[in-house]
């Protein structure tokens, strides 16, 4: 998964450090380059950097607080973490008015609804594009070894801005718009550094456009390799389409693949927990991990919860959680059985107490 702010911070400073080296003395350059990682780890502030670099480092620190600590923090710690992250982002904008990642993240905090945040992103996209393209053009005179990286880093804030816009469009029900944004981003950068293909797959499933979903899969496989199309977003999109088409055999086939590929998949599909979206970018998780499936199922709530159903999980969500194959996999999952045994033990202890005192108190 892409868009790790710590890695990007390292690359930004590495690029600036490379510009300070004397190309006429290759041996000195090699020695200096070999010490960069150590200097970055132990004395980052001592490295050459601009206010823009310092601002992005503050964004990286704020991302750690908002995206990776806040969702798991105790209730008492939430306000402190939020205020700390906001202060870092405001300082970043004060250092660099063109720090669009900080502006975007502050916009998320200040918006009163998903729709208002979507409008904020849509209204500001062209300004961000122009600014990032100017930054990319300013790298034209760098050596080839530096120019590609500099140009790539210059455009990432815009790609993230539009990727956020696409995901909010999906949440707000603007499915055609979400798909259009994803298509534009993939045409700009086929390597898909912001993983918009995942949002695109969900949007196409909402639009019931299986032909375009097939095309997306072929394009991703050609550019990124075969494994790029084996992910839970694509599998859930396929499953949703076949479910709507009443093709139970195909739907069960995609369900079987999910159960086979991902650890504790039955627990994830049964719980269908919704997670807060990453503010900097989609959370960085390992491919084929339980965390990846949890994240995909959360984002796919737009598919799972649609349709009429007696359950709040929606038609597809209810079908998944009640599927005999899911239940059978649950029974085989040691972690689920351990939790079940603990629950049964608590239930047995409560029943014993009730027998002693009908009012539920021990005598």
């Amino acid at each position: 998964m892409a868009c790790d702010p710590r890695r990007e911070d390292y690359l930004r400073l590495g690029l600036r450090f490379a510009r300070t080296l004397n190309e006429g003395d290759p041996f000195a350059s090699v020695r200096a380059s070999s010490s960069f990682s150590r200097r970055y780890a132990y004395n980052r502030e001592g490295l050459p950097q601009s206010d823009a670099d310092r601002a992005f480092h503050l964004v990286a620190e704020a991302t750690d607080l908002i995206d990776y600590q806040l969702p798991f923090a105790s209730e008492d710690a939430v306000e402190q973490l939020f205020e700390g992250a906001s202060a870092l982002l405001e300082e970043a904008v004060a250092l660099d008015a063109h720090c669009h990642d900080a502006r975007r993240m502050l916009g998320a905090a200040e918006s009163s609804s998903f729709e208002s945040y979507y409008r904020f992103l849509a209204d500001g996209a062209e300004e961000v594009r122009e600014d990032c393209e100017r930054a990319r053009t300013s790298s034209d005179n760098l050596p080839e070894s530096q120019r590609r990286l500099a140009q790539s880093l210059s455009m990432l804030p815009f790609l993230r801005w539009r990727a956020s816009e696409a995901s909010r469009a999906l949440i707000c029900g603007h499915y055609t718009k979400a798909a259009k944004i994803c298509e534009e981003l993939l045409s700009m950068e086929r390597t898909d550094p912001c993983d918009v293909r995942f949002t695109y797959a969900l949007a196409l499933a909402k639009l019931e456009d299986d032909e375009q979903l097939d095309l997306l899969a072929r394009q991703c496989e050609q550019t990124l390799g075969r494994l790029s199309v084996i992910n839970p977003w694509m599998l859930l999109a396929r499953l949703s389409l076949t479910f709507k088409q009443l093709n139970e055999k195909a739907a069960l086939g995609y369900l079987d693949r999910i159960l086979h590929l991902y650890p504790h998949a039955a627990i994830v599909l049964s719980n269908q927990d919704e997670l807060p979206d990453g503010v900097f970018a989609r959370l960085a998780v390992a491919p084929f991990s339980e965390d990846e499936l949890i994240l995909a199922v959360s984002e796919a709530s737009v598919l799972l919860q649609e349709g009429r159903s007696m359950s709040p999980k929606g038609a597809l969500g209810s079908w998944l959680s009640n599927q005999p194959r899911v239940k059978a996999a649950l029974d085989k999952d040691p972690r689920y059985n351990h939790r079940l045994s603990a629950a049964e033990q608590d239930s047995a202890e409560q029943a014993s107490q009730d027998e002693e005192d009908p009012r539920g108190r021990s005598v």
Side-chain angles (χ1 to χ4, degrees):
M1 304 283 284
C3 289
D4 179 347
R6 297 291 183 184
R7 177 177 179 273
E8 194 169 328
D9 180 53
Y10 180 89
L11 291 174
R12 289 173 66 106
L13 287 200
L15 181 61
R16 190 165 299 281
F17 183 72
R19 297 181 193 178
T20 68
L21 301 180
N22 182 2
E23 295 184 2
D25 188 351
F27 295 105
S29 296
V30 169
R31 286 195 299 272
S33 296
S34 65
S35 69
F36 173 76
S37 296
R38 177 173 50 80
R39 292 180 63 183
Y40 179 86
Y42 297 105
N43 185 28
R44 183 193 176 281
E45 290 305 311
L47 289 168
Q49 55 193 292
S50 66
D51 282 346
D53 296 326
R54 293 184 180 91
F56 187 83
H57 181 66
L58 294 173
V59 168
E61 291 186 333
T63 299
D64 182 62
L65 295 179
I66 297 174
D67 288 350
Y68 295 96
Q69 293 190 40
L70 191 61
F72 310 103
S74 64
E75 190 173 337
D76 295 337
V78 166
E79 185 175 354
Q80 182 179 357
L81 287 172
F82 182 79
E83 290 179 353
S86 297
L88 289 169
L89 295 173
E90 289 168 359
E91 185 180 351
V93 174
L95 278 171
D96 176 20
H98 302 286
C99 186
H100 299 300
D101 287 306
R103 291 181 53 232
R104 177 172 55 85
M105 294 166 75
L106 285 171
E110 295 166 358
S111 297
S112 58
S113 65
F114 286 130
E115 183 68 31
S116 64
Y117 184 43
Y118 165 67
R119 290 306 335 160
F120 165 80
L121 294 169
D123 292 344
E126 190 57 32
E127 175 193 348
V128 178
R129 179 201 288 270
E130 293 174 357
D131 199 32
C132 290
E133 287 181 343
R134 278 193 296 270
R136 180 177 62 183
T137 301
S138 69
S139 304
D140 287 347
N141 295 325
L142 292 175
E144 177 66 19
S145 60
Q146 300 175 21
R147 184 169 63 250
R148 292 183 182 180
L149 176 58
Q151 291 178 341
S152 174
L153 292 174
S154 296
M155 292 305 296
L156 281 175
F158 172 70
L159 297 179
R160 279 192 288 268
W161 188 287
R162 289 286 272 170
S164 294
E165 183 185 347
S167 67
R168 290 306 173 273
L170 178 67
I171 292 171
C172 294
H174 309 305
Y175 308 127
T176 301
K177 183 65 176 178
K180 183 179 179 181
I181 295 170
C182 292
E183 187 173 1
E184 290 175 358
L185 292 178
L186 287 173
S187 67
M188 283 181 60
E189 182 49 80
R190 289 291 180 185
T191 60
D192 191 21
C194 296
D195 294 330
V196 296
R197 65 189 181 278
F198 301 152
T199 304
Y200 198 10
L202 298 181
L204 292 173
K206 289 296 293 186
L207 294 169
E208 301 184 30
D209 192 341
D210 48 359
E211 291 185 5
Q212 191 63 30
L213 191 62
D214 290 339
L215 178 59
L216 170 65
R218 289 196 298 272
Q219 290 174 339
C220 289
E221 186 169 357
Q222 291 171 2
T223 305
L224 302 172
R226 189 177 65 85
L227 289 180
S228 68
V229 298
I230 306 175
N231 61 72
W233 289 268
M234 181 66 76
L235 291 171
L236 288 167
R238 297 282 197 188
L239 195 159
S240 172
L241 281 171
T242 53
F243 179 78
K244 291 177 183 177
Q245 295 162 356
L246 304 181
N247 187 345
E248 185 176 22
K249 181 179 179 180
L252 288 172
Y254 290 119
L255 172 60
D256 286 341
R257 294 195 74 185
I258 293 172
L259 291 171
H260 174 73
L261 287 171
Y262 295 92
H264 310 296
I267 295 176
V268 177
L269 294 174
S270 295
N271 293 341
Q272 297 174 27
D273 294 325
E274 290 190 57
L275 302 177
D277 292 330
V279 182
F280 176 76
R282 182 178 277 109
L283 299 180
V285 292
F288 300 105
S289 66
E290 180 186 8
D291 288 340
E292 185 183 48
L293 181 60
I294 291 172
L295 186 59
V297 167
S298 176
E299 292 185 26
S301 61
V302 294
L303 303 176
L304 304 181
Q305 295 177 9
E306 68 180 356
R308 294 183 178 181
S309 172
M310 296 296 291
S311 167
K313 289 183 176 179
L316 178 56
S318 298
W319 181 82
L320 281 173
S321 60
N322 294 311
Q323 240 300 314
R325 298 186 188 195
V326 173
K327 291 183 178 296
L330 276 177
D331 290 339
K332 296 177 182 178
D333 192 315
R335 195 172 75 185
Y336 176 77
N337 287 328
H338 174 74
R339 289 163 55 186
L340 185 63
S341 298
E344 289 174 338
Q345 183 177 354
D346 290 343
S347 177
E349 290 177 357
Q350 184 61 53
S352 175
Q353 292 178 0
D354 291 345
E355 287 179 3
E356 296 176 4
D357 184 346
R359 293 166 296 178
R361 298 193 305 267
S362 287
V363 177

